[in-house]
Amino acid sequence: EVQLVESGGGLVHAGGSLRLSCAASGFTFGSDDLSWVRQAPGKGPEWVSAINSGGGTTYYADSVKGRFTISTDNAKNTLHLQMNSLKPEDTAVYYCATGRLILIDWGQGTQVTVSS
């Protein structure tokens, strides 16, 4: 059974940074593309970033390009999202998921709140 457990969310002032983590189990880490998706209050899910199965290619939504960095730690089966220069509009529940074009398994999410 695939399990994805996010952590690292919290409350931060605008301009601050957070590092999200997603501990993965139940599949061969590194064999699938992995993504971060967020959902703001009252809005639908928004894809944020992805990393390919080999870890050599990363993808970002225009809204976070240059501010967020996705990475993996294969030794710890963990996906990360480093978020810098946070803005109030980044406030959302952040989910990690397997896949990139089609998201299959999702974690339970971690709340990120950016105050102005």
Side-chain angles (χ1 to χ4, degrees):
E1 178 188 3
V2 173
Q3 288 196 323
L4 301 167
V5 181
E6 301 93 337
S7 61
L11 173 64
V12 64
H13 291 298
S17 298
L18 283 174
R19 188 189 193 211
L20 304 184
S21 297
C22 172
S25 62
F27 66 102
T28 302
F29 193 83
S31 65
D32 289 337
D33 296 349
L34 296 169
S35 294
W36 286 98
V37 181
R38 67 187 181 186
Q39 186 164 16
K43 297 186 178 181
E46 176 191 13
W47 173 83
V48 173
S49 180
I51 188 165
N52 76 332
S53 58
T57 304
T58 57
Y59 309 84
Y60 298 95
D62 288 343
S63 58
V64 307
K65 198 171 295 183
R67 300 188 297 122
F68 290 10
T69 303
I70 191 171
S71 64
T72 55
D73 182 342
N74 290 339
K76 296 183 178 179
N77 288 1
T78 302
L79 175 71
H80 295 290
L81 186 68
Q82 177 67 42
M83 306 187 296
N84 299 328
S85 303
L86 283 162
K87 305 175 180 180
E89 51 263 44
D90 294 319
T91 294
V93 178
Y94 284 71
Y95 302 89
C96 62
T98 57
R100 180 169 64 90
L101 299 179
I102 299 175
L103 304 177
I104 303 173
D105 295 293
W106 295 57
Q108 84 291 345
T110 186
Q111 175 70 48
V112 171
T113 303
V114 184
S115 64
S116 57

